[in-house]
Amino acid sequence: MSIQEFLQHVANGTSLGSLYALIAIGYTLVYGILRLINFAHGDIFMLGAYITYYGIIYTPIPWWLVFILACVLTGLVGLTLEKLAYKPLRGQPRITILISAIGASFLLQNLGVLLFSGRPKAFPTPAILSRTLIIGGVSVSLISIIIPIVTIIILAILSFIIQKTKTGMAMRALSKDYEAASLMGIDINGVISFTFFIGSFLAAVGGIMWGIKYPQLIPLMGVMPGLKCFIAAVIGGIGNITGAVIGGFILGLGEIMLIAFLPSLTGYRDAFAFILLILILLIKPTGLMGEKIAEKV
Amino acid sequence: MLTINDLHVSYGGIKALRGINLKIEENKIVTLIGANGAGKSSTLRAIMNLVKKQSGTVEYNGTDLTNLKTMDIVKKGIALSPEGRRVFPNLTVEENLILGAYTINDKEDIKRTMGEIYNLFPRLKERSWQKAGTLSGGEQQMLAVGRAMMVHPKILMLDEPSLGLAPLLVKDIFDIIKEIHRQGNTILLIEQNAKKALEIADYGYVIETGSIVLEGEGKSLLNNDKVREAYLGESR
Ligand SMILES: Nc1ncnc2c1ncn2[C@@H]1O[C@H](COP(=O)(O)OP(=O)(O)OP(=O)(O)O)[C@@H](O)[C@H]1O
Ligand SMILES: [Mg+2]
């Protein structure tokens, strides 16, 4: 393998890893606060991509504005999902909410088939974003460079929100003690809604960039990335944002490198994530950055 | 000012409060004493709407608080420092205090109040950047009290604020309670140390298995035979 080829794989792996990281954050944020695996998260990602598709094809709105609006809209869908499928079950055993999440996932997938049809749609990538650059003899698609940059910017904003703002503090407080948080006058429902909004917004950012990189949309497109990003979140230590990012990159880079160095294993591409999951659960069940998992009281 | 009327609370069919009536007058220290499991914490938790009231009302200066959400009760000026500290372990001391003032938007005010609390508890100031989970038990207790004071509550409810503190610190906490009171605040205090509580209280209620069995001025309860025997560990 030439050095050029290798760098190409690194670029590819980095951008795939960034996408995984963006989606994994959604899992980890929600888990951190509700101790819930939001199984519908991958389908929210799918919705983000489709909303963008329809926005670009059927409205005169400029593409960049469609991108922003689609993320906001997807955020609102995520927030609504919580209100309808999870909030009424709060205080019930965790397994109940988990089953509701699995139901919500199936519902969104089938709603997708119904509304968007099962036939694949080509993502309408704006011409300006579909260029390929030659950097030092390596040809890299522009989007492969944009993805990590966007991810880094978003991560910086997110960590600012969580570390420095009052809402971020409230999120961290809530993740430890609902009751004490409400005694501070924190609007519990508001913070939970906000969390779902952010997670779904990020999933939509991921969905759009995914659509540009792999421009074929189907209603089940969220299933595999959803599972993998859940795994990424677990590998990193679910509930921990840095962990989710690390997990995402490990998975993205690992997957691409596996194909690059052992092309005969290409068919096992998806299995890679699961093998990694099994390994991490055996070696360090709390994940790389995970704290001891304390039962919520 | 705060009036609790015929409050009933049960946990899964087991009655914890059986018709509590309380009145908390402005600028007074009121204490609630009773044995373990008598229902003291449940009363405070019901006032804050952390537990469901089976029946009964809570009224504050003419406003009905009975069905308000906890956060709205806080906004009305009632704060609870809960039993068992409940500081946010993953947040720093400073962040815990800032969250205590969550409903206040005036940054200057928050800063000033934080300064006052650091004056009351210099120990917290030294450790302002430390994660609350790594504080000692006593320091956590100071933080819990300080945090509840951050909103300038009109009524500050303290559920066993001296629990786990060394005797010297217990005295400090009581001094601080008196100081907060002197600044014109109303306090509802629960204490294991009934004697100390009654000594500083203007008024006291004795609660037994979910009912008020005795009430009166702090001094008179201190001299009451029944109280002396049951709660002050003195024989007749
Ligand atoms: N969440 C709960 N579920 C079930 N029972 C509860 C719950 N909380 C309190 N109880 C019961 O209600 C009764 C009153 O409890 P409460 O905490 O109000 O007592 P307390 O007077 O504060 O006691 P202590 O001095 O030990 O703190 C007790 O019998 C207790 O076991
Ligand atoms: Mg108690």
Side-chain angles (χ1 to χ4, degrees), chain A residues 14-96:
Chain A
T14 310
S15 64
L16 184 62
S18 306
L19 289 177
Y20 284 165
L22 279 178
I23 307 168
I25 289 172
Y27 279 107
T28 241
L29 276 180
V30 165
Y31 183 86
I33 288 195
L34 289 182
R35 298 293 181 272
L36 160 74
I37 312 288
N38 179 15
F39 274 110
H41 191 58
D43 309 297
I44 295 277
F45 155 87
M46 173 272 290
L47 279 183
Y50 269 100
I51 292 174
T52 311
Y53 170 88
Y54 284 101
I56 289 183
I57 304 263
Y58 292 102
T59 71
I61 306 172
W63 61 267
W64 55 270
L65 190 55
V66 170
F67 283 11
I68 296 171
L69 291 177
C71 293
V72 173
L73 205 61
T74 310
L76 294 176
V77 171
L79 180 157
T80 312
L81 171 77
E82 191 273 330
K83 290 240 179 292
L84 296 179
Y86 306 147
K87 188 172 169 227
L89 297 173
R90 221 180 281 158
Q92 302 294 320
R94 251 197 271 170
I95 189 80
T96 314

Side-chain angles (χ1 to χ4, degrees), chain A residues 163 166-167 169-170 172-189 191, chain B residues 45 48 50 69-71 74 80 82 86 88-91 95 98-105 147:
Chain A
Q163 292 306 324
K166 236 166 149 176
T167 308
M169 263 179 236
R172 284 183 283 145
L174 209 63
S175 75
K176 290 294 176 195
D177 193 335
Y178 268 45
E179 246 180 38
S182 68
L183 283 176
M184 304 297 106
I186 291 170
D187 176 4
I188 305 285
N189 291 331
V191 174
Chain B
R45 293 163 54 77
M48 295 310 289
L50 290 176
K69 283 191 194 157
T70 306
M71 62 173 207
V74 175
L80 168 64
R86 308 283 286 266
F88 302 113
N90 53 336
L91 270 61
E95 287 173 333
I98 292 174
L99 274 186
Y102 189 79
T103 54
I104 294 176
N105 289 322
R147 188 180 63 176

Side-chain angles (χ1 to χ4, degrees), chain A residues 16 19-20 23 45 147 205-217 221 225:
Chain A
L16 184 62
L19 289 177
Y20 284 165
I23 307 168
F45 155 87
I147 290 174
V205 175
I208 292 170
M209 297 200 290
W210 188 280
I212 296 173
K213 200 167 158 59
Y214 310 101
Q216 198 189 47
L217 309 187
M221 67 183 277

Side-chain angles (χ1 to χ4, degrees), chain B residues 40-42 83 159-160 190 192:
Chain B
K40 306 177 297 291
S41 298
S42 298
E83 185 172 22
D159 196 342
E160 304 199 9
I190 295 181
Q192 286 300 330

